[in-house]
Amino acid sequence: MSIVIRGGTVVTAEQTFSADVYCENGLIAAIGENLEVPAGTEVIDATGQYVMPGGIDPHTHMQLPFMGTVASEDFYTGTAAGLAGGTTSIIDFVIPAPQQPLMDAYHQWRDWSEKSAGDYGFHVAVTWWDESVKQDMATLVQEYGVNSFKHFMAYKNAIMADDEILVNSFARCLELGAMPTVHAENGELVFQLQKDLLAKGITGPEAHPLSRPPVVEGEAANRAIQIAQVMQVPIYIVHVSCKESLEAITRARNEGQRVYGECLAGHLVIDDSVYRSEDFAFAAAHVMSPPFRSKEHQAALWKGLQGGNLQTTATDHCCFCAPQKAAGKDDFTKIPNGTAGIEDRMAIMWDAGVNSGKLTMNEFVAVTSANSAKIFNIYPQKGSITTGADADIIVWDPEASRTISAATHHQNIDFNIFEGRTVKGVPTHTLSRGNLVYKDGDLRAVKGAGKYVKRQAFSPVFEAMAKQSAANKAQPVNRK
Ligand code: URP
Ligand code: ZN
Ligand code: ZN
C-alpha cells in the first residue's frame, strides 16, 4: 500500500518546510516537492495543513490491574483512541506484583497487548529485588528490547520501591544501559498523611491532594535524582506535577546531571479545584497521583517545558469508570488512582501550547513525539519525518475545532477530564506505519495491527557515564 501526502507543510522538531511525503511499505520512502509517485498511490490533500510525526505517549496503563480493579481501557480501545487523536505509539508499563518474576509479568503484558491497534513498547517496573530480578533485567534489555525500568516511590504496601531497591536497580540499569524512571512521591509520607486525614474524618476526594502535597513529590524527586547522581546514571522523572520537582530537575541539570522530566497534558491545564466539587463522582474522576495542582504549579510546568527542563508530555492514561471510582465513596484512599487522556493530549498541547504562543510548532513536535523517541532510543524510526522512518504521520488542520466530550470520545471511560473544552487544531488524518487509520472522523483502527517496538540499550551515553563513574571511584591510600 502506498500513500502520498501532497501540498502540506512538514513540521518536525527541527524544521518547517513545504514538501510532499510519499509512504510505501510502512516507511517514509521520499520527501520532496512535486514528488512523482507510482500509479494507484492514494493521495491525501494536505493543503493548508501541517504534516507532523505521530504522537508518542511515553506513559500509559492499558488494562492495568490496580487498587483492586482493572483499568477499563484495553490495549485495543486505548491505542485506537490514541490514533483518533494523533498518537501513533505508546510506551506502557509492565508492573509485576511483588515477588512475581519480571519475565512472567512481561509475558502477561505482551499477551494482553497483542490486540493493540497502534505501536507499543514497555517500561518494566522493579517492585522488589533479588538476584532473579537482576538477571531478568538483563534478559529484558538484551533479548526483549526493554531499555527503561520504572520505580514507584509511592503506593506503600503494594508496589512501592524503597531506597534499597532504587540503589540496586539504578546500579543494574547503568550496567545494562537502561534508563531508570521514577514515580516520585514519598510513599511513607503519603501513607501517614492519609491516616491523619481519615482520623480527622476527612474521607472524601478533597483529602486526596492534601495527602500528596507538592513537598512530598519534591522530596522524592530530589532523592531519586541524588541517588542517580551518586550512582552516575541518567534518570527520567515521570508525571512531574509541581514546582518542587521541577526545581530539583532544573538544579541537577544546571549541574550537568543527565535528568529528564515528563509532564502530563492534564497537569498543564486542570487545577486542584476539581477535588472540592460537591459531586463525588466528578471529584473522584479526577483522583490520580500526583494530583492536579494549583495554577501556580501549572505555570511553572509550562515554563519547564519552554525552558527545556521538561522534555516530554504524556497522559498517564489509566481509566476507571464511575462504578470503579465508587469503591472509595467512604474512604478516599480506596478510589482507584487514574485519569484518561490519550485521545486528547495532542490537541490540548496544540491548543494550550501553540495557539497561546507558549510553544512553537517545532517545540510541539519535540514535546509530543521526538523527545520521547530520543530519550527512549527509537529515534529517528519514530518521532521524525525522514526517509526510512516509520510512516507514523499526522495531517493536522490548525483551523478546525472540536469540543471534547465523553459523549463523543473513543476512549473506554465514562468521563473526560477535558469535558467541554473547545480545542482549535485537530488531526484530519493519522497514518500508522503507512496505513490510514483515521480520516476526518472515521476511525479505521485494526485490532492487532500495532507492532511491538524493540528499544536498544543506550550505549554511548551510558558508556560515557560508566567511564566517569569508574574514574570517580575512590582509591585506597597505600600505607607502609
Ligand atoms: O494515578 C495514577 N497516576 N495512576 C496510574 C499509576 C501511576 O501512578 O502512574
Ligand atoms: Zn505514577
Ligand atoms: Zn502512571
Side-chain angles (χ1 to χ4, degrees), residues 59 150 152 155 183 238-239 289 316:
H59 189 156
K150 172 77 174 285
F152 290 92
Y155 306 123
H183 167 135
V238 309
H239 51 39
S289 298
D316 201 357

Side-chain angles (χ1 to χ4, degrees), residues 90-101:
I90 61 168
I91 313 180
D92 205 274
F93 293 83
V94 172
I95 307 184
Q99 310 310 318
Q100 182 183 17

Side-chain angles (χ1 to χ4, degrees), residues 81-148:
L83 296 174
T87 288
T88 48
S89 301
I90 61 168
I91 313 180
D92 205 274
F93 293 83
V94 172
I95 307 184
Q99 310 310 318
Q100 182 183 17
L102 267 58
M103 293 312 303
D104 284 7
Y106 173 80
H107 289 302
Q108 173 68 83
W109 257 265
R110 282 293 301 269
D111 189 37
W112 289 335
S113 60
E114 283 290 304
K115 55 182 173 287
S116 293
D119 288 0
Y120 58 96
F122 288 109
H123 313 277
V124 176
V126 176
T127 54
W128 60 294
W129 191 259
D130 76 354
E131 278 302 307
S132 75
V133 173
K134 196 173 169 186
Q135 181 50 51
D136 282 355
M137 288 172 76
T139 306
L140 286 162
V141 172
Q142 289 154 8
E143 294 175 34
Y144 290 91
V146 170
N147 68 12
S148 50

Side-chain angles (χ1 to χ4, degrees), residues 59 61 64 66 93 95 150 152 155 159 183 185 208 238-239 264 287-290 316 318 320 336-339:
H59 189 156
H61 301 279
L64 174 68
F66 192 50
F93 293 83
I95 307 184
K150 172 77 174 285
F152 290 92
Y155 306 123
I159 51 177
H183 167 135
E185 284 185 302
H208 179 69
V238 309
H239 51 39
L264 306 183
V287 166
M288 65 159 303
S289 298
D316 201 357
C318 187
F320 299 107
N337 286 205
T339 55

Side-chain angles (χ1 to χ4, degrees), residues 53-56 313 345-346 364-374 379 382-384:
I56 299 171
T313 57
R345 177 184 63 123
M346 300 293 279
F364 166 84
V365 173
V367 302
T368 57
S369 182
N371 288 351
S372 284
K374 289 176 186 173
Y379 188 86
K382 303 285 188 193
S384 79

Side-chain angles (χ1 to χ4, degrees), residues 17 66 82 91 113 142 175 295 310 317 401 462:
F17 55 96
F66 192 50
I91 313 180
S113 60
Q142 289 154 8
E175 285 169 359
K295 292 202 180 327
L310 298 176
H317 187 80
S401 298
F462 279 69

Side-chain angles (χ1 to χ4, degrees), residues 3 51 65 98 103 121 143 149 162 169-170 190 200 229 251 264 287 346 348 412 423 434 438 450 463 476:
I3 293 182
V51 179
M103 293 312 303
E143 294 175 34
F149 291 93
D162 62 15
S169 178
F170 286 16
V190 172
K200 284 185 191 145
Q229 196 230 337
R251 212 166 34 240
L264 306 183
V287 166
M346 300 293 279
I348 292 285
N412 191 26
V423 284
Y438 177 80
E463 267 165 28

